């Protein structure tokens, strides 16, 4: 089981500093953000959904990249002009299938699931009929072991109440089940939701609430969304408390990661929390390297270690004026809780979005880069080798 000490971490520096073995930047006018990404199973490359904001235009595109980060194809999925009128939530179900949930931000509307069979630009739309809601926003979607999709989002009913719900959806748009959580109110707004299916078919859920959240709510839900257990991680945040995700550890233990800005500290820091199989809190640890630390992903390595990735920044007085951003990789031994950390230094500000283990000690990181003396972000594709293994 993963051992964490209940403590508030003081600022530190990563144990090791790395350099890129190779780095590819795909430049486009405007700001790019990686919304979803998957590695092809044969190792030949990657598919990524990228949101580009340029002037008053928004564009979601599907990018195909080879194993070296060279763009080999680009397909526009959605566009908006003048105002951000759409919400878009994509999920890859396999190398050749992309499911995109979408709907309107500006008016009451149901959700639609659009299926692309890559590389064809043709698609099929499946309207989704969620019971009791006049308007729906899907915030998160993952594929389950069964092949169906687990979605979570908010629905607005006829009384204008907004509720958080989960649902099972098959690949043809049929709602297999739907369940509502006992939270929500008029004006309830969710920024993001993180889901994780567990070995027994239940799943974990956490979300970021817009406003002044104060912490992170945690739920364990049954296979059809029924509430089994809940907790609240009080981090005393000021503006932001956002989840990174969950990881089920050997023996049924559960690790959760997130990030927040602590009240009055004007700095981002991460949080790691461990629960036992009965979901009793075993330990919690704040993570702070340099002046700011933000955690973006949580997964296993090929060696069975836990890799929690994100970024650090060594300058910037507040979370809204951050400079000198470097990718961060934190390796955790799941048996002892020992932590070894690495940062990757570059002249540009680089924020990782997705990280892939492609060999023992070798990783590919995809994210956004802002070059020195510039303001717009571009997609970067970096290869790094961790030479000191845990």
């Amino acid at each position: 089981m993963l051992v964490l000490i209940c403590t508030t971490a003081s600022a530190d520096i990563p144990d090791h500093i790395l350099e890129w073995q190779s780095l590819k930047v795909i430049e486009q006018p405007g700001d790019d953000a990686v919304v979803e990404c998957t590695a092809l199973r044969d190792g030949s490359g990657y598919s990524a959904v990228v949101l580009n904001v340029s002037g008053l235009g928004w564009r979601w595109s599907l990018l195909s990249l080879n194993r070296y980060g060279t763009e080999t194809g680009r397909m526009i999925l959605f566009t908006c002009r003048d105002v951000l009128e759409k919400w878009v939530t994509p999920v890859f179900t396999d190398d050749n299938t992309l499911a995109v949930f979408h709907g309107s931000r500006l008016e009451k509307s149901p959700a639609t699931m659009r299926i692309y069979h890559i590389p064809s630009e043709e698609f099929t739309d499946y309207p989704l009929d969620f019971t009791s809601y006049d308007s729906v926003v899907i915030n998160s979607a993952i594929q389950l072991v069964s092949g169906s999709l687990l979605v979570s989002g908010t629905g607005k009913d006829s009384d204008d109440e907004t509720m958080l719900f989960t649902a099972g959806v098959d690949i043809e748009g049929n709602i297999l089940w739907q369940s509502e959580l006992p939270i929500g109110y008029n004006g309830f707004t969710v920024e993001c939701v993180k889901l994780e299916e567990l070995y027994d078919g239940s799943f974990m859920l956490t979300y970021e609430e817009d406003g002044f959240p104060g912490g992170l709510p945690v739920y364990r839900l049954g296979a059809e969304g029924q509430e089994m257990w809940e907790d609240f991680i009080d981090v005393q945040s000021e503006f932001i408390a956002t989840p990174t995700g969950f990881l089920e550890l050997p023996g049924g233990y559960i690790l959760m990661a997130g990030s927040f800005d602590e009240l009055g500290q004007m700095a981002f820091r991460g949080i790691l929390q461990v629960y036992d199989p009965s979901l009793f809190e075993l330990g919690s640890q704040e993570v702070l390297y340099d002046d700011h630390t933000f955690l973006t992903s949580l997964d296993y390595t090929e060696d069975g270690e836990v890799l929690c990735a994100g970024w650090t920044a060594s300058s910037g007085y507040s979370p809204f004026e951050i400079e000198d951003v470097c990718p961060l990789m934190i390796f955790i031994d799941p048996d002892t809780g020992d932590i070894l950390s690495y940062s990757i230094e570059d002249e540009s500000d680089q924020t990782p979005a997705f990280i892939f283990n492609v060999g023992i000690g070798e990783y590919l990181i995809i994210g956004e880069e802002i070059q020195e003396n510039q303001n717009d972000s571009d997609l970067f594709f970096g290869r790094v080798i961790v030479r000191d293994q845990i």
Side-chain angles (χ1 to χ4, degrees):
M1 111 185 155
L2 182 63
V3 178
L4 291 179
I5 300 173
C6 294
T7 182
T8 300
S10 58
D12 202 349
I13 60 173
D15 297 311
H16 299 276
I17 306 299
L18 301 176
E19 295 181 353
W20 294 112
Q21 296 295 309
S22 63
L23 184 67
K24 183 84 171 182
V25 179
I26 301 174
E27 298 185 12
Q28 291 285 322
D31 281 300
D32 285 328
V34 187
V35 180
E36 182 62 272
C37 188
T38 189
L40 303 183
R41 296 177 186 177
D42 63 2
S44 63
Y46 302 83
S47 295
V49 177
V50 176
L51 171 62
N52 174 270
V53 181
S54 182
L56 295 178
W58 288 264
R59 182 174 67 246
W60 289 265
S61 300
L62 172 63
L63 272 63
S64 298
L65 307 170
N66 66 18
R67 68 179 67 188
Y68 307 107
T70 300
E71 182 181 335
T72 59
R74 181 182 292 256
M75 178 171 64
I76 295 177
L77 303 175
F78 296 94
T79 59
C80 297
R81 294 297 305 173
D82 298 329
V83 294
L84 184 58
E85 62 184 24
K86 293 182 181 294
W87 59 262
V88 175
T89 300
V91 58
F92 292 97
T93 61
D94 57 46
D95 287 357
N96 301 311
T97 307
L98 172 65
V100 185
F101 297 90
H102 65 98
S104 173
R105 288 181 178 274
L106 303 182
E107 56 187 21
K108 289 185 177 181
S109 71
T112 299
M113 182 176 70
R114 178 170 293 185
I115 298 294
Y116 290 90
H117 295 290
I118 307 169
S120 173
E121 295 190 12
E122 297 182 358
F123 59 83
T124 303
D125 274 340
Y126 296 97
L128 302 176
D129 183 17
F130 292 107
T131 306
S132 305
Y133 300 135
D134 297 329
S135 186
V136 167
V137 174
I138 302 298
N139 299 99
S140 181
I142 62 172
Q143 187 173 31
L144 301 175
V145 172
S146 65
S148 62
L149 300 174
L150 171 65
V151 302
S152 182
T154 54
K156 186 171 290 189
D157 61 23
S158 57
D159 295 326
D160 217 31
E161 295 285 321
T162 301
M163 302 298 293
L164 185 67
F165 73 93
T166 56
V169 181
D170 70 17
I171 201 66
E172 294 182 346
N174 298 304
I175 307 300
L176 305 177
W177 56 267
Q178 179 182 332
S179 182
E180 189 174 78
L181 288 173
I183 52 176
Y185 49 85
N186 192 306
F188 177 66
T189 303
V190 172
E191 291 292 328
C192 74
V193 177
K194 293 294 183 179
L195 302 165
E196 179 73 18
E197 184 181 18
L198 304 179
Y199 292 129
D200 66 356
S202 64
F203 58 94
M204 302 296 298
L205 179 148
T206 182
Y207 63 90
E208 177 187 356
E209 185 177 354
D210 187 30
F212 303 93
L216 292 164
V218 183
Y219 290 86
R220 185 170 185 166
L221 305 177
E224 294 191 352
Q226 63 273 28
E227 183 182 345
M228 301 171 61
W229 176 92
E230 67 173 295
D231 189 23
F232 185 80
I233 303 176
D234 185 359
V235 293
Q236 298 184 14
S237 57
E238 187 165 7
F239 301 107
I240 297 171
T242 186
T244 302
F246 299 96
L247 193 63
E248 187 169 12
L249 304 173
Y253 296 90
I254 296 170
L255 173 64
M256 178 182 168
S259 300
F260 65 99
D261 67 320
E262 188 173 19
L263 182 66
Q265 297 300 310
M266 302 302 288
F268 280 124
R269 58 184 63 194
I271 181 77
L272 297 172
Q273 185 143 317
V274 177
Y275 297 97
D276 71 7
S278 66
L279 295 177
F280 176 79
E281 180 188 328
L282 292 177
S284 181
Q285 182 169 328
E286 292 183 6
V287 183
L288 178 59
Y289 295 98
D290 296 327
D291 296 326
H292 301 274
T293 298
F294 200 95
L295 306 179
T296 58
S297 67
L298 185 64
D299 209 342
Y300 282 111
T301 70
E302 284 191 348
D303 286 343
E305 303 291 343
V306 174
L307 171 56
C308 188
W311 53 265
T312 69
S314 57
S315 66
Y317 175 68
S318 76
F320 312 104
E321 299 175 351
I322 293 177
E323 299 175 347
D324 300 329
V325 180
C326 297
L328 172 70
M329 302 169 68
I330 303 172
F331 293 88
I332 309 172
D333 187 312
D335 296 319
T336 66
D338 291 340
I339 293 177
L340 197 58
S341 58
Y342 301 80
S343 66
I344 307 167
E345 291 191 348
D346 193 88
E347 292 181 355
S348 303
D349 291 339
Q350 294 168 329
T351 304
F354 294 87
I355 183 167
F356 300 96
N357 192 181
V358 295
I360 301 300
E362 183 177 356
Y363 300 87
L364 287 169
I365 301 177
I366 296 175
E368 296 91 49
E369 170 179 296
I370 300 177
Q371 297 183 18
E372 196 172 16
N373 300 321
Q374 294 189 12
N375 295 317
D376 292 343
S377 62
D378 293 304
L379 177 69
F380 82 83
F381 183 100
R383 174 176 171 264
V384 66
I385 295 178
V386 176
R387 300 194 183 279
D388 298 317
Q389 293 297 305
I390 296 176

Short mmCIF file of all heavy atoms in Angstrom, two decimals, residues 244-263:
data_model
loop_
_atom_site.label_atom_id
_atom_site.label_comp_id
_atom_site.label_asym_id
_atom_site.label_seq_id
_atom_site.Cartn_x
_atom_site.Cartn_y
_atom_site.Cartn_z
N THR A 244 -6.89 16.07 -10.31
CA THR A 244 -6.05 15.46 -11.33
C THR A 244 -6.61 14.11 -11.73
O THR A 244 -6.69 13.78 -12.91
CB THR A 244 -4.62 15.28 -10.81
OG1 THR A 244 -4.11 16.56 -10.42
CG2 THR A 244 -3.72 14.66 -11.85
N GLY A 245 -7.01 13.30 -10.75
CA GLY A 245 -7.59 11.99 -11.04
C GLY A 245 -7.34 11.00 -9.92
O GLY A 245 -6.84 11.34 -8.84
N PHE A 246 -7.70 9.75 -10.20
CA PHE A 246 -7.58 8.65 -9.25
C PHE A 246 -6.70 7.56 -9.84
O PHE A 246 -6.56 7.44 -11.06
CB PHE A 246 -8.95 8.04 -8.95
CG PHE A 246 -9.95 8.98 -8.34
CD1 PHE A 246 -10.87 9.63 -9.14
CD2 PHE A 246 -9.98 9.19 -6.97
CE1 PHE A 246 -11.81 10.49 -8.58
CE2 PHE A 246 -10.91 10.05 -6.41
CZ PHE A 246 -11.83 10.69 -7.22
N LEU A 247 -6.15 6.73 -8.95
CA LEU A 247 -5.41 5.54 -9.36
C LEU A 247 -5.69 4.46 -8.33
O LEU A 247 -5.49 4.67 -7.13
CB LEU A 247 -3.91 5.83 -9.44
CG LEU A 247 -3.04 4.79 -10.14
CD1 LEU A 247 -3.43 4.67 -11.62
CD2 LEU A 247 -1.57 5.16 -10.03
N GLU A 248 -6.18 3.28 -8.80
CA GLU A 248 -6.41 2.18 -7.88
C GLU A 248 -5.11 1.42 -7.69
O GLU A 248 -4.47 0.98 -8.66
CB GLU A 248 -7.51 1.25 -8.41
CG GLU A 248 -7.88 0.19 -7.39
CD GLU A 248 -9.15 -0.58 -7.77
OE1 GLU A 248 -9.62 -0.44 -8.91
OE2 GLU A 248 -9.67 -1.31 -6.91
N LEU A 249 -4.70 1.26 -6.45
CA LEU A 249 -3.45 0.62 -6.09
C LEU A 249 -3.68 -0.84 -5.74
O LEU A 249 -4.83 -1.27 -5.53
CB LEU A 249 -2.82 1.34 -4.90
CG LEU A 249 -2.59 2.85 -5.08
CD1 LEU A 249 -2.13 3.47 -3.76
CD2 LEU A 249 -1.59 3.13 -6.18
N PRO A 250 -2.62 -1.65 -5.68
CA PRO A 250 -2.79 -3.05 -5.25
C PRO A 250 -3.47 -3.13 -3.89
O PRO A 250 -3.24 -2.32 -3.00
CB PRO A 250 -1.34 -3.55 -5.17
CG PRO A 250 -0.59 -2.72 -6.16
CD PRO A 250 -1.23 -1.36 -6.08
N GLY A 251 -4.34 -4.13 -3.76
CA GLY A 251 -5.05 -4.32 -2.50
C GLY A 251 -6.30 -3.47 -2.37
O GLY A 251 -6.93 -3.46 -1.31
N GLY A 252 -6.66 -2.75 -3.43
CA GLY A 252 -7.87 -1.93 -3.40
C GLY A 252 -7.70 -0.55 -2.83
O GLY A 252 -8.68 0.19 -2.66
N TYR A 253 -6.46 -0.16 -2.49
CA TYR A 253 -6.22 1.20 -2.01
C TYR A 253 -6.37 2.17 -3.18
O TYR A 253 -6.14 1.83 -4.34
CB TYR A 253 -4.81 1.30 -1.40
CG TYR A 253 -4.64 0.44 -0.17
CD1 TYR A 253 -4.18 -0.87 -0.28
CD2 TYR A 253 -4.96 0.93 1.09
CE1 TYR A 253 -4.04 -1.67 0.84
CE2 TYR A 253 -4.83 0.13 2.22
CZ TYR A 253 -4.37 -1.17 2.08
OH TYR A 253 -4.24 -1.95 3.19
N ILE A 254 -6.74 3.40 -2.85
CA ILE A 254 -7.02 4.40 -3.89
C ILE A 254 -6.23 5.66 -3.62
O ILE A 254 -6.25 6.21 -2.51
CB ILE A 254 -8.54 4.72 -3.95
CG1 ILE A 254 -9.32 3.47 -4.36
CG2 ILE A 254 -8.81 5.86 -4.93
CD1 ILE A 254 -10.80 3.60 -4.21
N LEU A 255 -5.51 6.11 -4.65
CA LEU A 255 -4.75 7.35 -4.59
C LEU A 255 -5.48 8.41 -5.40
O LEU A 255 -5.91 8.16 -6.52
CB LEU A 255 -3.34 7.15 -5.15
CG LEU A 255 -2.46 8.38 -5.32
CD1 LEU A 255 -2.16 9.03 -3.97
CD2 LEU A 255 -1.17 8.03 -6.05
N MET A 256 -5.63 9.59 -4.80
CA MET A 256 -6.22 10.72 -5.51
C MET A 256 -5.22 11.86 -5.53
O MET A 256 -4.47 12.07 -4.58
CB MET A 256 -7.51 11.19 -4.83
CG MET A 256 -8.12 12.40 -5.52
SD MET A 256 -9.61 12.99 -4.70
CE MET A 256 -9.80 14.58 -5.54
N ALA A 257 -5.19 12.58 -6.65
CA ALA A 257 -4.32 13.75 -6.78
C ALA A 257 -5.13 14.94 -7.24
O ALA A 257 -6.15 14.80 -7.93
CB ALA A 257 -3.18 13.47 -7.77
N GLY A 258 -4.69 16.12 -6.84
CA GLY A 258 -5.34 17.36 -7.26
C GLY A 258 -4.41 18.54 -7.07
O GLY A 258 -3.26 18.38 -6.65
N SER A 259 -4.90 19.72 -7.37
CA SER A 259 -4.12 20.95 -7.21
C SER A 259 -5.02 22.06 -6.71
O SER A 259 -6.24 22.03 -6.93
CB SER A 259 -3.48 21.36 -8.55
OG SER A 259 -2.63 20.36 -9.05
N PHE A 260 -4.42 23.03 -6.04
CA PHE A 260 -5.22 24.13 -5.48
C PHE A 260 -4.31 25.33 -5.22
O PHE A 260 -3.09 25.22 -5.20
CB PHE A 260 -5.90 23.69 -4.18
CG PHE A 260 -4.94 23.39 -3.06
CD1 PHE A 260 -4.67 24.33 -2.08
CD2 PHE A 260 -4.29 22.16 -2.98
CE1 PHE A 260 -3.79 24.07 -1.03
CE2 PHE A 260 -3.41 21.88 -1.95
CZ PHE A 260 -3.16 22.83 -0.98
N ASP A 261 -4.95 26.49 -5.06
CA ASP A 261 -4.23 27.67 -4.60
C ASP A 261 -4.64 27.92 -3.15
O ASP A 261 -5.80 28.13 -2.85
CB ASP A 261 -4.50 28.88 -5.50
CG ASP A 261 -5.93 29.37 -5.42
OD1 ASP A 261 -6.85 28.53 -5.36
OD2 ASP A 261 -6.14 30.59 -5.40
N GLU A 262 -3.67 27.85 -2.26
CA GLU A 262 -3.98 27.94 -0.84
C GLU A 262 -4.35 29.37 -0.45
O GLU A 262 -3.73 30.34 -0.91
CB GLU A 262 -2.80 27.47 0.00
CG GLU A 262 -3.13 27.37 1.48
CD GLU A 262 -2.00 26.73 2.27
OE1 GLU A 262 -0.88 26.72 1.77
OE2 GLU A 262 -2.26 26.27 3.39
N LEU A 263 -5.34 29.49 0.39
CA LEU A 263 -5.84 30.79 0.82
C LEU A 263 -4.72 31.65 1.39
O LEU A 263 -4.01 31.25 2.32
CB LEU A 263 -6.93 30.58 1.88
CG LEU A 263 -7.61 31.84 2.43
CD1 LEU A 263 -8.41 32.52 1.33
CD2 LEU A 263 -8.52 31.47 3.60
#
